[in-house]
Amino acid sequence: MNDKNYFLKKASENMPELHFRKLVPDIKSFSAESGDSIILDLGEHAVGHFSFSFDRLDEFVDAPVRLIIKFGEDMREINDDFSSYKGGLSSTWLQEEIIHLDFPGTVSMPRRYSCRYIRITVDIARRPIKLFDFSFNASTSADVLSLKKSETDDDWLRKIDMVSTVTLKECMQTFFEDGPKRDRRLWIGDLRLEALTNYYTFNNLQIVRRCLYLFAAGDTGSLGFLPSFIYETPYFFSGRAYLADYALLYVVSVCDYYEHTGDKDTVDDLLEICKTQLDNFEKLLDENMIVTPQDGWFSFIDWCPGLKSLTALQGVYLYTLEHFINLLKMLDDSDSEKYSGLLVKVREASVKHLYDEENQIFASSLDEGQTSVHSQVWMILGGVIGGEEGKKLLLSSLERKDAKQPCTPYMRHYVAEAMMKLGMKKEATEYLKKLWGGMIELGADTFWEAYVPEDPDFSPYDDRMINSLCHAWSCTPSYFIRKYNL
Ligand code: RAM
């Protein structure tokens, strides 16, 4: 069996079981004529299938009835006019159907939706009709009964923890999805954060193994990096993007997995791939040991418009090396020395070539002189700077008007992680309350893909309507709250 088939076999052996739950909305039945509409509220965010029954109210139904059924993750989405959508991603992600019903009976809608609210508009009905027996069959592979309550005594953190665990639960299906409404694929950056939070909440190890093996089965790109995303449905397929930071974070995900489980068999299967990711990255360093720019979409880091991300990427490399060396040491693998030597050299090179002594900040020609929170955070996480100096650097970059600021909870996770690394528990707690709590104040039942407090319409795709409002990479407050006993 070749590696790809072996990895796919392991992935299918680790298929998690889905748990189903029937949700019944607040409204039980609805009598309507053309033009009438109702909004059903499931009372919570859910991912699954919707069904209902339909009958005549008085006379025979003598012509098909046309309904428009819209699913919204929040009320804003329900009230959006999808016909005005102008974003870059396909509008077919917007959850709205026009359906024709020929005869009375039960209608089970075949597609899966991600929503809390459902608006049904009776577009055309020649005679009054009745809709009833609304039901939503919700699925997740998270075992909610196994979830322990967080021990925090802070009400606000308790609420944030609850919304985080719901976000994660909704993204846990037969693999970790990045968003159950839009994308429904798995990206490495999301996998890393979902898996991390999962260890402290549902602790479903099968799903983590499945995802690690699925990526291992992927086709590598021209630089030898793993695909940044994969699909599992309707069959396994490798995504055609090869982001260097995501390839590195795959390695970190394997390290996290071992640290949490001690499962040597799985890690043995994946170890060569991890080494290859790091070795391929090393080939991209110049004679000064600094990463060189590459063509195409090469480094992600965040959705911040105009971000120059190579310094941050260099930090991700160092962060990965450090995690990987720890793993190799635990495994008694002699390659740990080779990578340790590299770590020291690349750290030194990063101070020398990327730090602006005069202004005491990481801003260099590598990123065309741009200042960003991202560069500072990843240099801290990469161990290039720390202590009081690191704290000062981080806090001042978060305040600086001319510095690029994070736009996603994904990048903010790493801001909070940097704070924890620097021993800034209090600041990290305030940061979680402000940046994730801010979404709750705006009515979030689950955490969003992108959130910029000063710009509620921010979208990486030029239209807020397509943003995912339940997004995997946003679930990590539970990790912080539970791991650090906040
Ligand atoms: C988007 C999604 C996903 C992320 C990638 C880079 O498509 O938000 O979660 O990992 O971007």
Side-chain angles (χ1 to χ4, degrees):
M1 196 185 296
N2 70 23
D3 282 356
K4 180 167 176 157
N5 286 339
Y6 171 76
F7 291 143
L8 287 177
K9 180 171 160 284
K10 295 297 280 186
S12 69
E13 283 168 12
N14 283 291
M15 176 73 87
E17 188 198 340
L18 286 180
H19 309 283
F20 293 94
R21 198 160 57 100
K22 185 176 153 185
L23 299 179
V24 180
D26 51 340
I27 294 172
K28 304 290 168 242
S29 82
F30 171 54
S31 304
E33 301 179 20
S34 290
D36 289 347
S37 88
I38 46 161
I39 295 173
L40 308 177
D41 180 359
L42 298 177
E44 61 187 279
H45 190 280
V47 176
H49 290 81
F50 180 55
S51 63
F52 60 93
S53 297
F54 145 67
D55 205 352
R56 68 189 173 88
L57 198 61
D58 52 6
E59 292 289 324
F60 192 75
V61 175
D62 74 338
V65 167
R66 184 155 80 194
L67 304 181
I68 302 173
I69 307 187
K70 187 172 185 183
F71 300 83
E73 294 193 300
D74 70 356
M75 272 308 287
R76 198 169 175 206
E77 201 165 275
I78 285 288
N79 292 324
D80 278 339
D81 172 9
F82 288 168
S83 68
S84 68
Y85 175 71
K86 51 178 176 15
L89 302 182
S90 175
S91 61
T92 51
W93 289 115
L94 301 172
Q95 305 181 107
E96 187 172 48
E97 311 286 1
I98 297 180
I99 61 171
H100 291 85
L101 308 177
D102 292 302
F103 307 110
T106 297
V107 181
S108 296
M109 296 187 68
R111 301 184 65 217
R112 198 194 77 182
Y113 301 98
S114 173
C115 63
R116 169 170 170 177
Y117 302 98
I118 304 167
R119 184 165 71 196
I120 307 181
T121 304
V122 179
D123 191 31
I124 304 176
R126 290 251 300 189
R127 310 258 349 140
I129 57 161
K130 190 167 99 174
L131 301 172
F132 55 103
D133 268 353
F134 303 113
S135 172
F136 195 93
N137 192 17
S139 70
T140 174
S141 54
D143 176 5
V144 284
L145 298 177
S146 71
L147 182 67
K148 295 203 185 69
K149 285 215 169 71
S150 77
E151 282 168 13
T152 179
D153 48 21
D154 181 314
D155 287 346
W156 199 215
L157 288 181
R158 199 172 308 120
K159 175 83 184 154
I160 293 174
D161 175 72
M162 205 259 291
V163 176
S164 301
T165 55
V166 173
T167 305
L168 176 59
K169 165 186 83 110
E170 297 292 88
C171 295
M172 286 172 70
Q173 299 293 329
T174 47
F175 70 166
F176 281 128
E177 297 186 13
D178 69 322
K181 175 184 101 169
R182 196 213 75 243
D183 264 19
R184 301 192 203 168
R185 63 199 69 171
L186 174 60
W187 291 80
I188 293 175
D190 303 72
L191 161 64
R192 201 258 156 157
L193 298 188
E194 284 180 283
L196 206 53
T197 308
N198 171 47
Y199 297 138
Y200 291 86
T201 53
F202 303 107
N203 201 27
N204 180 333
L205 302 180
Q206 237 188 343
I207 194 172
V208 183
R209 276 194 296 277
R210 172 168 169 74
C211 295
L212 292 174
Y213 279 115
L214 284 173
F215 277 108
D219 301 331
T220 49
S222 59
L223 300 174
F225 292 139
L226 286 176
S228 300
F229 63 97
I230 41 121
Y231 310 84
E232 59 154 17
T233 310
Y235 48 80
F236 174 78
F237 189 73
S238 268
R240 302 285 188 242
Y242 307 94
L243 299 161
D245 45 339
Y246 274 23
L248 294 168
L249 290 173
Y250 177 82
V251 179
V252 178
S253 308
V254 173
C255 299
D256 293 340
Y257 175 77
Y258 187 75
E259 194 187 315
H260 187 75
T261 62
D263 169 2
K264 196 165 173 308
D265 292 343
T266 301
V267 172
D268 277 346
D269 282 346
L270 306 173
L271 203 61
E272 272 319 302
I273 294 183
C274 293
K275 289 183 181 175
T276 314
Q277 301 309 296
L278 280 164
D279 297 347
N280 287 333
F281 194 91
E282 192 187 341
K283 293 181 194 146
L284 306 178
L285 302 181
D286 65 12
E287 63 287 1
N288 293 325
M289 306 299 270
I290 301 295
V291 64
T292 48
Q294 304 292 315
D295 291 341
W297 195 31
F298 163 62
S299 159
F300 170 61
I301 303 297
D302 190 15
W303 275 129
C304 175
L307 179 72
K308 307 281 176 218
S309 62
L310 294 179
T311 305
L313 178 59
Q314 176 103 353
V316 178
Y317 176 49
L318 289 164
Y319 175 83
T320 308
L321 276 174
E322 186 170 357
H323 276 80
F324 195 55
I325 292 162
N326 290 339
L327 172 70
L328 294 180
K329 284 185 180 158
M330 285 191 274
L331 297 174
D332 262 334
D333 184 316
S334 58
D335 277 351
S336 66
E337 285 169 27
K338 175 181 109 186
Y339 292 108
S340 300
L342 202 54
L343 177 63
V344 173
K345 277 199 216 148
V346 181
R347 270 192 189 142
E348 281 171 10
S350 305
V351 183
K352 186 163 169 213
H353 299 285
L354 306 178
Y355 191 59
D356 174 348
E357 282 287 350
E358 198 186 318
N359 296 304
Q360 305 208 335
I361 196 145
F362 288 93
S364 69
S365 57
L366 183 66
D367 284 326
E368 298 168 28
Q370 188 183 79
T371 304
S372 68
V373 168
H374 310 69
S375 300
Q376 319 314 315
V377 162
W378 278 110
M379 284 288 114
I380 292 165
L381 290 173
V384 180
I385 195 165
E388 285 309 312
E389 245 185 329
K391 281 187 199 172
K392 224 173 101 202
L393 179 71
L394 179 56
L395 290 176
S396 65
S397 69
L398 285 165
E399 292 298 315
R400 274 175 76 144
K401 293 268 172 298
D402 63 335
K404 292 275 182 196
Q405 298 290 327
C407 289
T408 57
Y410 169 75
M411 182 58 212
R412 293 200 191 101
H413 165 89
Y414 290 106
V415 175
E417 196 177 316
M419 288 177 171
M420 286 302 186
K421 185 172 185 201
L422 294 168
M424 301 162 70
K425 196 166 167 180
K426 195 168 139 271
E427 289 85 346
T429 307
E430 288 314 308
Y431 191 72
L432 296 182
K433 287 186 178 174
K434 181 167 166 227
L435 274 318
W436 276 265
M439 288 185 253
I440 297 181
E441 274 166 358
L442 293 175
D445 294 307
T446 47
F447 289 129
W448 309 336
E449 174 179 21
Y451 170 54
V452 177
E454 311 72 52
D455 179 9
D457 283 337
F458 173 76
S459 168
Y461 322 105
D462 298 325
D463 196 317
R464 176 191 52 74
M465 286 186 224
I466 209 82
N467 286 6
S468 156
L469 300 185
C470 174
H471 213 68
W473 68 19
S474 310
C475 71
T476 63
S478 290
Y479 159 76
F480 290 111
I481 293 168
R482 288 162 186 255
K483 176 171 179 179
Y484 296 100
N485 295 317
L486 302 184

